[in-house]
Amino acid sequence: MVVCGDDGLAHRLAAELRGVYREQVTLVVPPSGRRVRQPVVGRARAASAALRDMVNAAVNRTGNSDATGGTGSTGGTGGTGRELEATEPTEDVLADAGVERATALALVYDDDETNIRAALTARRLNPRLQLVLRLYNRRLGQHIEELLDQSAALASGGGPGSGSGSTTVLSDADTAAPALAATALVGTSKVVETDGLLLRAVERNPPRPGEVADPGLCTLALLSATSNDPAGADGSEDSGENGPQLLPDAAAVEAATGRGTVALEQVSYSGPPLPAGRAGVPAFGELFSRRLRWSLAGLAACVVALAVALMVVTGDHPLHATYVTLLDLFSINEPAHNADIGRQILQLLSGFVGLLLLPVLLAAVLEALGTFRSASTLRKPPRGLGGHVVLLGLGKIGTRVLTRLREMDIPVVCVEADPDARGMATARRLRVPVVLGDVTQEGVLEAAKIHRAHSLLALTSVDTTNLEAVLYARSVRSRLRVVLRLYDDDFATAVYRTLRAAHPRALTRSRSVTHLAAPSFAGAMMGRQILGAIPVERRVLLFAAVEVAGHPQLEGKTVGEAFRAGAWRVLALEVSDGERAAGADSPSEGARESRLVWELPDTYVLRGSDRVVLAATRRGLAELLGRRARRGVDV
């Protein structure tokens, strides 16, 4: 395996491949002067002198590799590898890294152009190479994926199934955004979405005495016994009895009392619709202020009253009386000096109302123009706003999280110091209020209505900025829910425990984007389609589409027999049009309505031609791949 990158994701991915999958990894990073600091966990483990002690420690931490804190190190506990220094992934650098003999290559540079250029070179050097690219531009990623797959098929002299390499395009922002958005909202479903497939996992509180918990489609995890304890260990990497349990069996779920669960609640093929107001055309009520609307209504009432009075005085038809009133209103009618006194008084009153109408019409035009102009500019937080989410940072991660929150119709106020940040255009398009300013300066969070906010998402790329913003926000509102994006593992754990102890009644979470994204990238390098990842406290549960053929743990076994608690669980079966899973409860579950059959009976026998969607832990997915057994590694 070859991993090329210039930030923390490259180190996390290399540690994942070595520590979990026991792969030989070549890591290509910039020179020491330009390199991003290696993760603390990796540095600590790499400094260990005895390899045997490291392996024994890894054995004792079985299941702990599913923590979002990461596993393995730059040195690795099971795999071997080397590290190369290069400013850019040129053809010579890729050749030195052994791309021509490699099984898979991950290009996780922060720049899309660098990844694309290196991918084109690598595909030419090795058409059978498994390519994994990190691209922020999703539309461009689809075209690049098709192009590289077609190039590999032609270079190998056959079609897509002729042994040519495949290409997978992923985005760390897309992988982490659903988890970060869901963490900020207690009770909001955790979502994994890819290729139109939407998986929703919801966190449920422990059932009350006498209540029966609804497991949904299935129970994915049991939360830690201390998740509701302010002094508990939620957020640590403890895998003991009190820690979270991924993919428990029925006996464990029944025996667990007083513990919350994460259940798969709903599955559909389309995400929630975007708000209707995102088109940028304001509603009529937003064109004019309330005072101006009342003024227009009053003038309209005066016109109606004058028309009725003219009809009573002159006996005219209602339409003709209205017409004459409007002529008098706009001063284009002849003076009524030969008419009776009543008609003359009404004409004077109509002229006076017309004088009042002119400034009101001018104000309406000016307000309408200003409203349309502000529709394409940044909005300010409304005065009465409350119960919203304050989002700090509109970079790659913040933009994706903002989009996800708006898809769930959650009110958001963004805070950004750079007026040219990546997410500014998205904020304008979604008409989200934005406060421009440095969050560390006094008054910026107050402008975002932090004292009335529901939660705070600190997603800037600077750990100290996120921490300072959270500490200041807690001083304003001590029970505010906060989610921090922190890079350093030890720093994140210390911050989390201190904040939770200082504010026991407030929810605090610390999340790392690289920890959430690395399992998906590693799984894609192993040749499996990773649909997404759902965090369970500080662990990660993966959703993958797997071919049954070649996996003795699945092929020829029933769904019940294939289930392994704490490792993997078959959730759905992908079928072709016209087919239906044997044992399905009703024809409505067939593939004519959906290409995925859910709630498979435990008696269904998995065939080699089947393709299933399963939930797996990181170590469980590595074991399912069977690479350890071929190497004789006993873990």
Side-chain angles (χ1 to χ4, degrees):
M1 302 288 178
V2 180
V3 177
C4 303
D6 59 355
D7 61 3
L9 181 58
H11 293 282
R12 301 288 183 190
L13 180 53
E16 184 84 10
L17 293 171
R18 289 167 175 161
V20 178
Y21 296 95
R22 302 299 190 254
E23 289 293 332
Q24 296 182 0
V25 182
T26 298
L27 179 61
V28 180
V29 292
S32 301
R34 303 182 183 181
R35 188 185 312 175
V36 175
R37 188 166 60 110
Q38 185 183 349
V40 170
V41 172
R43 296 200 310 272
R45 293 175 180 169
S48 298
L51 179 61
R52 183 181 62 183
D53 295 340
M54 294 170 63
V55 174
N56 292 335
V59 174
N60 295 331
R61 293 194 303 270
T62 301
N64 192 33
S65 61
D66 295 313
T68 50
T71 62
S73 67
T74 304
T77 60
T80 60
R82 60 194 180 111
E83 183 174 310
L84 299 178
E85 292 187 353
T87 304
E88 294 183 359
T90 61
E91 182 174 351
D92 294 338
V93 172
L94 293 177
D96 292 341
V99 168
E100 297 177 354
R101 305 178 305 276
T103 302
L105 167 66
L107 298 167
V108 293
Y109 289 94
D110 191 53
D111 180 50
D112 287 1
E113 183 180 351
T114 301
N115 293 328
I116 294 174
R117 184 170 61 250
L120 296 174
T121 303
R123 179 60 76 208
R124 178 169 50 83
L125 294 175
N126 188 353
R128 291 178 174 80
L129 187 67
Q130 174 78 21
L131 276 176
V132 178
L133 276 72
R134 171 191 184 183
L135 295 182
Y136 180 79
N137 191 327
R138 288 176 289 185
R139 180 175 300 179
L140 176 61
Q142 295 176 357
H143 296 307
I144 292 297
E145 185 173 339
E146 296 174 358
L147 175 64
L148 292 174
D149 285 344
Q150 183 179 1
S151 175
L154 294 176
S156 60
S162 60
S164 60
S166 62
T167 306
T168 304
V169 176
L170 298 174
S171 170
D172 56 335
D174 288 333
T175 304
L180 291 171
T183 307
L185 306 169
V186 176
T188 300
S189 298
K190 301 176 182 179
V191 178
V192 172
E193 183 178 8
T194 178
D195 296 333
L197 175 65
L198 182 66
L199 304 175
R200 295 170 62 89
V202 62
E203 198 171 295
R204 296 177 177 174
N205 295 324
R208 297 178 180 177
E211 293 183 351
V212 179
D214 182 13
L217 293 178
C218 67
T219 300
L220 297 177
L222 294 174
L223 299 177
S224 62
T226 59
S227 60
N228 296 321
D229 182 7
D234 179 25
S236 69
E237 300 178 11
D238 180 22
S239 60
E241 296 181 357
N242 292 330
Q245 298 181 19
L246 303 184
L247 301 176
D249 54 17
V253 174
E254 185 176 355
T257 57
R259 300 178 65 168
T261 60
V262 177
L264 192 64
E265 189 178 59
Q266 177 184 352
V267 178
S268 62
Y269 274 87
S270 59
L274 293 176
R278 63 176 292 184
V281 179
F284 177 80
E286 298 181 2
L287 281 175
F288 309 114
S289 63
R290 183 178 182 182
R291 182 179 301 176
L292 184 58
R293 293 198 301 268
W294 278 109
S295 299
L296 291 173
L299 289 175
C302 291
V303 172
V304 173
L306 290 173
V308 172
L310 182 62
M311 181 182 63
V312 173
V313 172
T314 61
D316 287 345
H317 189 273
L319 292 179
H320 185 266
T322 304
Y323 173 70
V324 173
T325 301
L326 291 176
L327 291 179
D328 294 336
L329 188 71
F330 295 110
S331 301
I332 56 178
N333 197 9
E334 294 183 358
H337 56 274
N338 294 326
D340 53 20
I341 187 64
R343 174 71 181 88
Q344 293 177 351
I345 294 176
L346 289 177
Q347 189 177 54
L348 292 175
L349 292 176
S350 299
F352 178 72
V353 173
L355 293 177
L356 298 178
L357 181 62
L358 290 177
V360 174
L361 291 178
L362 180 60
V365 172
L366 294 177
E367 280 200 7
L369 291 177
T371 302
F372 276 109
R373 185 176 62 179
S374 63
S376 60
T377 59
L378 297 176
R379 302 182 63 193
K380 294 182 179 180
R383 291 184 178 179
L385 182 63
H388 58 287
V389 175
V390 177
L391 175 62
L392 308 184
L394 286 176
K396 293 194 305 182
I397 306 301
T399 303
R400 290 287 193 255
V401 173
L402 172 62
T403 303
R404 177 65 62 179
L405 290 173
R406 292 304 299 129
E407 287 177 352
M408 296 188 291
D409 290 332
I410 304 299
V412 184
V413 174
C414 300
V415 179
E416 176 57 52
D418 184 9
D420 298 325
R422 186 191 296 265
M424 283 298 184
T426 302
R428 292 188 184 96
R429 177 172 56 87
L430 298 177
R431 307 189 66 215
V432 175
V434 178
V435 176
L436 286 176
D438 188 354
V439 70
T440 60
Q441 295 179 355
E442 187 176 357
V444 175
L445 284 178
E446 283 81 354
K449 315 295 182 184
I450 192 65
H451 56 286
R452 291 200 297 265
H454 174 274
S455 56
L456 171 66
L457 269 168
L459 303 180
T460 69
S461 58
V462 183
D463 287 3
T464 54
T465 300
N466 294 335
L467 178 59
E468 183 177 353
V470 167
L471 293 177
Y472 182 76
R474 279 283 171 83
S475 67
V476 176
R477 186 179 180 185
S478 60
R479 303 185 66 175
L480 180 70
R481 298 187 180 99
V482 297
V483 179
L484 293 85
R485 173 191 175 187
L486 298 177
Y487 176 80
D488 194 307
D489 297 331
D490 292 345
F491 184 49
T493 302
V495 168
Y496 167 80
R497 291 176 176 174
T498 304
L499 285 176
R500 190 168 185 178
H503 303 277
R505 296 186 178 182
L507 185 143
T508 304
R509 292 291 184 268
S510 61
R511 294 290 182 259
S512 171
V513 174
T514 55
H515 284 162
L516 296 175
S520 297
F521 281 83
M525 292 186 71
M526 303 304 295
R528 295 299 178 265
Q529 181 184 1
I530 302 298
L531 303 180
I534 285 180
V536 179
E537 297 182 3
R538 289 191 64 82
R539 301 190 180 186
V540 171
L541 192 62
L542 302 177
F543 291 84
V546 177
E547 300 287 348
V548 174
H551 298 287
Q553 302 94 331
L554 302 177
E555 189 172 3
K557 296 186 177 181
T558 64
V559 173
E561 294 172 346
F563 169 56
R564 181 175 297 182
W568 61 76
R569 179 171 188 165
V570 177
L571 299 178
L573 173 69
E574 183 175 342
V575 294
S576 303
D577 294 338
E579 293 183 336
R580 184 162 58 93
D585 294 338
S586 64
S588 63
E589 295 181 16
R592 296 188 181 277
E593 294 185 2
S594 171
R595 298 193 68 244
L596 287 175
V597 176
W598 299 88
E599 295 183 284
L600 288 171
D602 290 340
T603 56
Y604 176 76
V605 179
L606 299 174
R607 301 169 296 179
S609 59
D610 289 339
R611 189 169 185 262
V612 295
V613 175
L614 52 82
T617 63
R618 294 191 297 179
R619 189 172 294 276
L621 184 61
E623 182 180 350
L624 189 62
L625 296 177
R627 303 179 71 92
R628 294 179 184 172
R630 292 195 296 270
R631 299 185 180 186
V633 179
D634 184 13
V635 293

